[in-house]
Amino acid sequence: MANGVLSFPLTSFHADGSLDPHGFRAHVADRIAATPGAVFPACGTGEFFSLDEDEYRQVVTIAAEEAGGRVPVVAGIGYGWAQAVRFARIAEEAGADALLVLPHYLVAAPQDGLVAQLERIAARTRLPLIAYQRGQVAFGVEAFGRVARIPGVIGLKDGHSDLDRLQRLTLSAPEDFLFFNGAATAEIQARAYATVGVAAYSSAVHAFAPEIANAFFTALRDGDEGAVRTLLRAFYVPLVELRDRVPGYAVSLVKAAARLRGCPVGPVRAPLTDPSAADLDDLRLLLTTGLDLVGAAL
């Protein structure tokens, strides 16, 4: 997974909000052709929270079929552990290689409960698990040590960006334990995460501009500081500023950018909303700028 950005494909919907499996197949095939380190269907960017079990099965099945063993397919699961297990069983049957355990629903929980959640899921699936700490899920060192010893738990995706605590977690983990930078627009913090030993990162940009995402990954890997800074200044930082204008733009803005490039992903589902006309104009200009920097076109 460290050989390319981690790609989180969008889930395609028709204009009436129903699932568009053909559109999703085309979209995920294009993402896989752009050589990611892994694909993560039905996760946050893929609007997992809005999918019923039948839709989820279709999405994971299509992703596994299109991957064809070329890249790992890591499906999202979530809610309480009992519901997460239902999704895990569907993902197993659909051909997923691993599971990303999204933060549980609504309530805050003590450290013992966070560990128990993962223990119960791991005991009921044969697929390896990657825990995701974000929002109400944040592991302390002691609890994380217990998590890392759960059979079947192979990694941690971090969305808190508390690098002091993350460094302590990485130092306490087994040598083969996987860590991922899961910050929103992870490229902004990719260099900082790498300093504590977390080089792999997720990329929402790969869902609509893999040319930009791959150029940034290559520049970062090769130590091309000039290219990294140029892409951060001219594209990634303005993208974050645009994303922060409206709650939910972390998904709906990504979908809008994909539509601007002709990807058949359709609208977002409520409670998310599609971007305003003015924000779409700004997005189009920013996307054009970013693509120009890497020699690509809208």
Side-chain angles (χ1 to χ4, degrees):
M1 292 190 193
N3 294 327
V5 298
L6 307 180
S7 183
F8 286 67
L10 300 153
T11 300
S12 299
F13 300 122
H14 293 293
D16 64 359
S18 61
L19 183 70
D20 177 6
H22 299 294
F24 178 71
R25 186 178 292 279
H27 172 64
V28 77
D30 284 346
R31 298 318 98 190
I32 291 169
T35 63
V39 291
F40 288 67
C43 293
T45 306
E47 298 179 75
F48 167 78
F49 61 88
S50 77
L51 301 177
D52 66 27
E53 292 183 9
D54 179 64
E55 292 169 333
Y56 177 85
R57 183 185 300 275
Q58 292 183 66
V59 165
V60 179
T61 298
I62 290 169
E65 288 174 350
E66 291 301 321
R70 290 174 291 166
V71 295
V73 174
V74 186
I77 61 172
Y79 306 115
W81 67 263
Q83 222 172 341
V85 168
R86 290 176 64 91
F87 283 103
R89 289 171 179 159
I90 294 170
E92 286 186 32
E93 296 166 0
D97 299 299
L99 303 168
L100 177 66
V101 184
L102 302 170
H104 63 269
Y105 173 68
L106 190 61
V107 297
Q111 294 288 293
D112 286 348
L114 299 180
V115 175
Q117 165 94 335
L118 290 168
E119 288 175 336
R120 282 160 173 74
I121 297 170
R124 292 164 173 82
T125 179
R126 65 175 179 79
L127 294 180
L129 305 180
I130 298 169
Y132 188 5
Q133 63 170 14
R134 184 172 182 163
Q136 68 269 38
V137 176
F139 296 105
V141 173
E142 188 277 332
F144 175 72
R146 291 154 59 195
V147 166
R149 292 193 298 273
I150 298 172
V153 176
I154 64 168
L156 177 73
K157 181 182 178 186
D158 175 74
H160 284 295
S161 304
D162 181 343
L163 297 183
D164 179 276
R165 181 160 54 85
L166 184 59
Q167 180 71 93
R168 296 170 192 271
L169 300 187
T170 62
L171 292 173
S172 70
E175 289 296 322
D176 59 349
F177 201 80
L178 305 174
F179 287 90
F180 307 101
N181 166 6
T185 314
E187 286 90 347
I188 293 288
Q189 301 188 57
R191 290 182 296 180
Y193 269 83
T195 65
V196 297
V198 181
Y201 63 87
S202 57
S203 176
V205 172
H206 197 273
F208 64 87
E211 305 96 326
I212 299 173
N214 287 340
F216 184 88
F217 178 87
T218 300
L220 189 66
R221 180 196 62 196
D222 295 347
D224 187 346
E225 184 66 14
V228 167
R229 291 174 66 86
T230 295
L231 285 167
L232 287 173
R233 281 200 191 104
F235 178 74
Y236 283 102
V237 170
L239 178 65
V240 169
E241 292 171 349
L242 182 55
R243 182 201 70 201
D244 289 347
R245 289 182 187 176
V246 176
Y249 267 17
V251 176
S252 57
L253 204 70
V254 172
K255 250 191 170 173
R259 290 195 302 273
L260 286 174
R261 302 203 72 199
C263 296
V265 295
V268 292
R269 276 182 172 173
L272 300 180
T273 59
D274 289 311
S276 67
D279 289 344
L280 278 176
D281 288 341
D282 290 344
L283 177 62
R284 183 180 291 105
L285 179 60
L286 176 59
L287 182 54
T288 300
T289 297
L291 291 168
D292 283 347
L293 287 172
V294 298
L298 186 63

